[in-house]
């Protein structure tokens, strides 16, 4: 990859500031867990897998800040660190998965000295980052055969290297197909209100030399009907037990349009995005964000002052619209409830 989304360096966390792209490629340095939490909340880092990595690194930073003489005192303060990080973004399940994994590491080493626990938490956070990169490459390997030679693939939001530790989930599938020599191109929805498709997906695909065409969100149906799009691949922030999938707002519309136009619609996500405790997408919590994200564009007002606004950050695509869920363990189709359980050994 020609950029780094997030890394642990010299006992600090370094993140590319995604709010500054594509105009500036700026890397911010974070030395405490509170600033990492603000970076997650403020969309400096976003994308479910990347949020998970950031949360793990935030826990490791927080552990280094704790002053304690006993494990009990350390554990109480670490719980507070985890709670602060858990409150940043409610929809992306990878956030909670990573935090719980870090908690388990601390608990399993409670009989060791606190220095050892702090170093073990740091090592675990780095391991989560390294694993995420390998997982994305595996998702790409499993998904690439679904993309035919000469395909034009529509993607929504950004599920690329910027949304992960590197390589990407949906864009991992696209990258793997491109690396296999398939003559493919990408249509990227702009993805209002944060414009992740315009600012981020277009930026990283152009940076890697993968042909990309940017379209406004409301153009997808037009190009589908014209036969210009042959497949859709998106990421996910949470997948319920029945295969219903939460992703960036506007994904549901793309899925419905794809079904109407007989275009396969795929979801690419790591197994850590599965939340089999939820029976359906109706139970997935949907984050509502500030009205200014809709009423303003790069700080400039585009709507009447005082207008009422709704701003859900995600929507849920029912499983019936999904042709397959691509994970690092393989592609799941059809009976999602049974197949997803089998995937995780339940």
């Amino acid at each position: 990859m020609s950029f780094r989304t997030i890394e642990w360096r010299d006992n600090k966390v370094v993140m590319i500031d995604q709010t500054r792209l594509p105009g500036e490629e700026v890397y911010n340095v974070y030395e405490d867990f509170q600033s990492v939490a603000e970076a997650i909340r403020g969309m400096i880092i976003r994308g479910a897998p990347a949020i998970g990595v950031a949360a793990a690194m935030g826990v490791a930073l927080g552990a280094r800040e704790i002053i304690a003489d006993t494990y009990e005192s350390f554990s109480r303060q670490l719980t507070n660190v985890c709670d602060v990080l858990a409150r940043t973004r409610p929809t992306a399940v990878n956030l909670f998965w990573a935090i719980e994994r870090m908690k388990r590491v601390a608990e399993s080493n409670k009989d060791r000295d606190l220095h050892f626990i702090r170093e073990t938490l740091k090592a675990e956070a780095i391991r989560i980052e390294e694993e995420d990169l390998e997982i994305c490459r595996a998702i790409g390997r499993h998904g690439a055969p679904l993309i035919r030679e000469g395909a034009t693939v529509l993607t929504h939001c950004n599920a690329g290297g910027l949304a992960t530790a590197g390589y990407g989930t949906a864009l991992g599938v696209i990258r793997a197909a491109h690396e296999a020599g398939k003559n493919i191109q990408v249509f990227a929805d702009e993805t209002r209100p944060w414009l992740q498709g315009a600012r981020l997906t277009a930026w990283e695909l152009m940076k890697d030399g993968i042909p990309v065409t940017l379209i406004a969100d409301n153009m997808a149906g037009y190009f589908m009907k014209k036969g210009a799009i042959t497949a859709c691949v998106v990421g996910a922030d949470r997948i319920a037990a029945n295969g219903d999938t939460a992703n960036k707002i506007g994904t549901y519309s793309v899925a419905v349009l794809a079904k109407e136009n007989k275009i396969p619609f795929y979801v690419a996500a790591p197994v850590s995005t599965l939340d089999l405790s939820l029976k359906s997408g109706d139970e997935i919590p949907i984050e509502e964000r500030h009205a200014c994200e809709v009423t303003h564009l790069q700080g400039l007002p585009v709507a009447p002052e005082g207008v009422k606004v709704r701003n859900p950050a995600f929507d849920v695509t029912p499983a019936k619209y999904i042709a397959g869920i691509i994970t690092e363990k393989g592609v799941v189709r059809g009976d999602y409830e049974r197949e997803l359980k089998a995937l995780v050994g339940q």
Side-chain angles (χ1 to χ4, degrees):
M1 300 292 294
S2 53
F3 58 89
R4 290 294 299 269
T5 305
I6 182 170
E7 63 178 317
W8 184 279
R9 188 193 305 163
D10 299 327
N11 291 322
K12 301 176 182 67
V13 177
V14 181
M15 302 181 202
I16 190 169
D17 187 340
Q18 299 189 33
T19 66
R20 308 274 288 272
L21 291 171
E24 299 176 281
E25 188 173 334
V26 175
Y27 291 83
N28 298 341
V29 179
Y30 300 92
E31 301 186 41
D32 61 86
F33 80 95
Q34 291 279 9
S35 62
V36 170
E38 285 304 313
I40 296 171
R41 187 178 295 108
M43 304 281 279
I44 286 168
I45 191 164
R46 26 68 52 207
I51 287 172
V53 174
M57 290 186 176
V59 173
L61 279 181
R64 301 178 75 83
E65 298 173 52
I66 293 171
I67 299 173
D69 295 323
T70 65
Y71 176 77
E72 288 71 22
S73 175
F74 175 86
S75 179
R76 283 195 301 272
Q77 294 178 70
L78 189 69
T79 297
N80 177 64
V81 170
C82 292
D83 289 346
V84 169
L85 289 161
R87 288 194 294 269
T88 54
R89 302 291 303 276
T91 301
V93 74
N94 304 64
L95 170 74
F96 307 100
W97 168 84
I99 290 170
E100 288 304 315
R101 178 165 162 176
M102 296 293 281
K103 283 181 177 178
R104 288 196 300 271
V105 167
E107 181 64 21
S108 65
N109 288 283
K110 63 182 180 181
D111 295 330
R112 308 295 294 266
D113 65 79
L114 297 182
H115 174 74
F116 179 87
I117 295 173
R118 291 185 181 99
E119 290 301 305
T120 302
L121 287 170
K122 178 182 81 172
E124 189 71 9
I126 295 170
R127 188 175 299 112
I128 288 172
E129 178 199 5
E130 293 169 346
E131 286 176 5
D132 185 70
L133 180 56
E134 290 305 312
I135 284 168
C136 287
R137 292 190 178 277
I139 289 171
R141 288 194 298 272
H142 288 298
L146 300 173
I147 308 302
R148 63 174 175 80
E149 166 67 27
T152 299
V153 184
L154 175 73
T155 191
H156 187 74
C157 194
N158 173 265
L162 289 167
T164 64
Y167 204 72
T169 53
L171 293 196
V173 172
I174 289 166
R175 278 196 173 89
H178 176 75
E179 291 165 2
K182 294 181 178 179
N183 182 30
I184 65 169
Q185 58 178 314
V186 180
F187 270 36
D189 282 343
E190 62 179 348
T191 322
R192 280 281 287 148
W194 268 83
L195 299 174
Q196 293 97 326
R199 295 188 304 103
L200 308 180
T201 297
W203 178 80
E204 67 170 275
L205 290 177
M206 290 179 70
K207 205 169 176 66
D208 286 351
I210 299 174
V212 58
T213 299
L214 177 65
I215 62 172
D217 291 352
N218 55 5
M219 296 176 185
Y222 171 85
F223 286 108
M224 288 185 188
K225 189 176 181 182
K226 289 284 188 181
I229 293 166
T230 54
C232 300
V233 185
V234 302
D237 287 82
R238 194 180 296 222
I239 301 173
N242 69 341
D244 291 353
T245 298
N247 193 50
K248 185 54 58 184
I249 192 74
T251 302
Y252 170 59
S253 303
V254 171
V256 172
L257 286 166
K259 186 81 167 181
E260 173 66 22
N261 289 278
K262 299 179 174 56
I263 298 167
F265 177 92
Y266 299 107
V267 171
V271 169
S272 59
T273 304
L274 302 179
D275 187 351
L276 303 188
S277 70
L278 305 183
K279 292 181 180 179
S280 76
D282 293 336
E283 299 177 31
I284 297 176
I286 300 297
E287 175 186 4
E288 288 242 9
R289 295 183 62 85
H290 198 279
C292 69
E293 295 177 357
V294 176
T295 59
H296 290 67
L297 190 60
Q298 293 186 324
L300 298 175
V302 293
E305 186 176 353
V307 67
K308 185 178 179 180
V309 172
R310 291 295 305 275
N311 185 20
F314 304 90
D315 57 25
V316 174
T317 298
K320 66 180 180 180
Y321 293 108
I322 300 171
I325 297 174
I326 307 164
T327 76
E328 71 271 28
K329 294 186 177 182
V331 182
V332 175
R333 309 172 191 247
D335 185 351
Y336 289 116
E337 191 155 0
R338 182 175 60 84
E339 293 296 330
L340 291 175
K341 284 183 179 179
L343 202 67
V344 297
Q346 289 190 9

